[in-house]
Amino acid sequence: MQLLKRSTLATGFAAALAVSLAHGKEFRAADIQPDDYPTVLAVRYMSDIIKQKTGGKDSIKVFSGGALGGEKDTIEQVKIGALDLVRVNVAPMNNICPETMVPTMPFLFRSKEHMRKVLDGPVGDQILAACASQGFVGLAFYDSGARSSYTVKKAVRSFGDMKGLKVRVQQSDLWVSLLQAMGANATPMPYGEVYTGLKTGVVDAAENNWPSYDTAHHYEVAKFYTLTEHSMAPELLLISKTVWDRLSPGEQKIFRQAARESVPYMRKLWDAKEAASRAIVEKAGVQVISVDKKPFQDAMKPVYDKFITDPKLKDMIKRVQETK
């Protein structure tokens, strides 16, 4: 009787698995950004392509707005296969996958066009592939814009104006070193606390891209936006290697192609959002200041010396700089 029961259970499980495979799967993806953000919409676009190419069998459901946790939490979930995909900024991956340090470095990219050409090329492919040994398969890079500095009381019009400013930074050793190299007092602080920090004087300044400056309403309290454009660290779309290895070669090909096709779609949305955000804050009376970037760039040598020590990473930096 016991043997029959086990046999029945095994048969039932096999049948359920066969039905599941026949019907495909709804893969779960996490994003901390709101529902209408370009990265969220891009992964949904990717899902539409996958659905079309698999005859409706496979799709991706995006949990936006941090519904499944912060970036650190969701990265850990993807690593163990408890979550299928995650879209994160490249910075939280720096300590996990050293190659991701390269596109995070300050003033590395000369322009948005330069960044896109690098990330679409061999260096970008190498960085994505490097994450596999840590449990992640890199599918795509998305834009995160150029990050610039914004201040409450006075505008930063030259490198010297950064000296002594208390500037909110991401909770990252690299970002602390970056702002210290500018002469500022780097103050790590969670993103959600920045508005209050600026308003109450806990920090004098912060730094971010146009859409974040706009949507988080930081422009209401920090009305001087200086175009330092010190970082163009991109976003990463990752799938769990555990999940990836369960896909057939055909499915893997579909996922890679769909991710690749989602990139130009995301970039189009991003460019429009950047322009719209800049228009909103300028209409609200924000002063936009251009600055000579060379003194800022020259000050970054200690940052590169500290974080880019591996010869392999040095070579990647050189290849990025040589990309025309």
Side-chain angles (χ1 to χ4, degrees), residues 101-136:
M101 188 74 73
V102 171
T104 320
M105 295 306 291
F107 297 105
L108 177 68
F109 301 115
R110 296 185 294 274
S111 64
K112 176 167 38 179
E113 292 70 30
H114 178 227
M115 175 201 68
R116 289 175 174 177
K117 187 168 186 181
V118 168
L119 297 180
D120 289 346
V123 173
D125 289 343
Q126 187 179 346
I127 295 166
L128 291 175
C131 298
S133 62
Q134 301 303 320
F136 306 89

Side-chain angles (χ1 to χ4, degrees), residues 30-46:
D31 199 312
I32 60 166
Q33 298 292 358
D35 217 40
D36 61 348
Y37 202 78
T39 53
V40 174
L41 296 175
V43 178
R44 290 208 178 110
Y45 182 79
M46 176 182 167

Side-chain angles (χ1 to χ4, degrees), residues 28-33 62-89 92-93 96 134-136 236-241 243:
R28 297 186 312 143
D31 199 312
I32 60 166
Q33 298 292 358
V62 186
F63 292 83
S64 58
L68 299 182
E71 289 195 332
K72 185 174 181 292
D73 297 329
T74 49
I75 286 169
E76 288 171 0
Q77 290 175 52
V78 167
K79 185 177 176 68
I80 61 172
L83 177 63
D84 302 311
L85 300 103
V86 67
R87 195 287 314 156
V88 292
N89 188 265
M93 289 295 293
I96 300 168
Q134 301 303 320
F136 306 89
L236 266 175
L237 179 63
L238 303 165
I239 186 169
S240 168
K241 190 165 189 311
V243 173

Side-chain angles (χ1 to χ4, degrees), residues 1-9:
M1 181 62 75
Q2 189 68 22
L3 187 61
L4 181 62
K5 189 175 178 182
R6 282 181 186 168
S7 175
T8 305
L9 283 170

Side-chain angles (χ1 to χ4, degrees), residues 11-309:
T11 305
F13 178 75
L17 184 61
V19 169
S20 171
L21 289 172
H23 288 287
K25 180 181 175 182
E26 183 179 72
F27 294 82
R28 297 186 312 143
D31 199 312
I32 60 166
Q33 298 292 358
D35 217 40
D36 61 348
Y37 202 78
T39 53
V40 174
L41 296 175
V43 178
R44 290 208 178 110
Y45 182 79
M46 176 182 167
S47 174
D48 289 342
I49 295 169
I50 290 170
K51 202 180 293 185
Q52 183 186 358
K53 290 186 176 180
T54 61
K57 189 167 77 75
D58 293 336
S59 63
I60 301 171
K61 182 173 182 178
V62 186
F63 292 83
S64 58
L68 299 182
E71 289 195 332
K72 185 174 181 292
D73 297 329
T74 49
I75 286 169
E76 288 171 0
Q77 290 175 52
V78 167
K79 185 177 176 68
I80 61 172
L83 177 63
D84 302 311
L85 300 103
V86 67
R87 195 287 314 156
V88 292
N89 188 265
V90 72
M93 289 295 293
N94 290 170
N95 292 334
I96 300 168
C97 178
E99 286 81 357
T100 63
M101 188 74 73
V102 171
T104 320
M105 295 306 291
F107 297 105
L108 177 68
F109 301 115
R110 296 185 294 274
S111 64
K112 176 167 38 179
E113 292 70 30
H114 178 227
M115 175 201 68
R116 289 175 174 177
K117 187 168 186 181
V118 168
L119 297 180
D120 289 346
V123 173
D125 289 343
Q126 187 179 346
I127 295 166
L128 291 175
C131 298
S133 62
Q134 301 303 320
F136 306 89
V137 173
L139 293 176
F141 286 106
Y142 290 152
D143 281 26
S144 189
R147 297 176 76 102
S148 287
S149 307
Y150 44 93
T151 49
V152 177
K153 293 181 179 176
K154 63 170 187 174
V156 169
R157 299 185 184 279
S158 67
F159 180 75
D161 290 339
M162 291 293 296
K163 189 170 178 62
L165 284 179
K166 289 180 292 182
V167 183
R168 178 268 171 178
V169 294
Q170 298 177 71
Q171 292 160 302
S172 148
D173 292 344
L174 172 61
W175 286 92
V176 169
S177 294
L178 192 161
L179 267 297
Q180 284 175 342
M182 291 185 185
N185 293 327
T187 307
M189 180 186 290
Y191 182 59
E193 296 175 17
V194 180
Y195 182 95
T196 305
L198 290 164
K199 191 171 184 178
T200 59
V202 172
V203 289
D204 305 311
E207 52 80 49
N208 220 313
N209 56 40
W210 285 113
S212 295
Y213 179 57
D214 160 32
T215 57
H217 299 282
H218 294 169
Y219 69 92
E220 294 174 356
V221 286
K223 289 192 171 290
F224 303 100
Y225 192 93
T226 301
L227 295 169
T228 49
E229 297 182 323
H230 48 267
S231 172
M232 293 185 190
E235 311 284 0
L236 266 175
L237 179 63
L238 303 165
I239 186 169
S240 168
K241 190 165 189 311
T242 302
V243 173
W244 181 258
D245 288 345
R246 292 194 201 117
L247 299 177
S248 70
E251 286 173 318
Q252 290 177 355
K253 186 178 179 183
I254 288 170
F255 266 71
R256 280 203 187 279
Q257 185 60 34
R260 198 171 293 120
E261 288 180 31
S262 75
V263 173
Y265 177 78
M266 187 275 169
R267 288 173 177 171
K268 185 179 177 183
L269 294 176
W270 180 262
D271 289 346
K273 190 167 186 69
E274 268 194 332
S277 289
R278 179 166 182 167
I280 287 167
V281 302
E282 286 186 325
K283 190 177 178 183
V286 164
Q287 282 189 44
V288 181
I289 301 108
S290 294
V291 68
D292 179 9
K293 293 179 188 173
K294 191 170 187 310
F296 291 85
Q297 293 166 336
D298 291 345
M300 293 301 123
K301 188 179 182 305
V303 182
Y304 277 77
D305 289 345
K306 180 177 179 180
F307 291 95
I308 304 294
T309 55

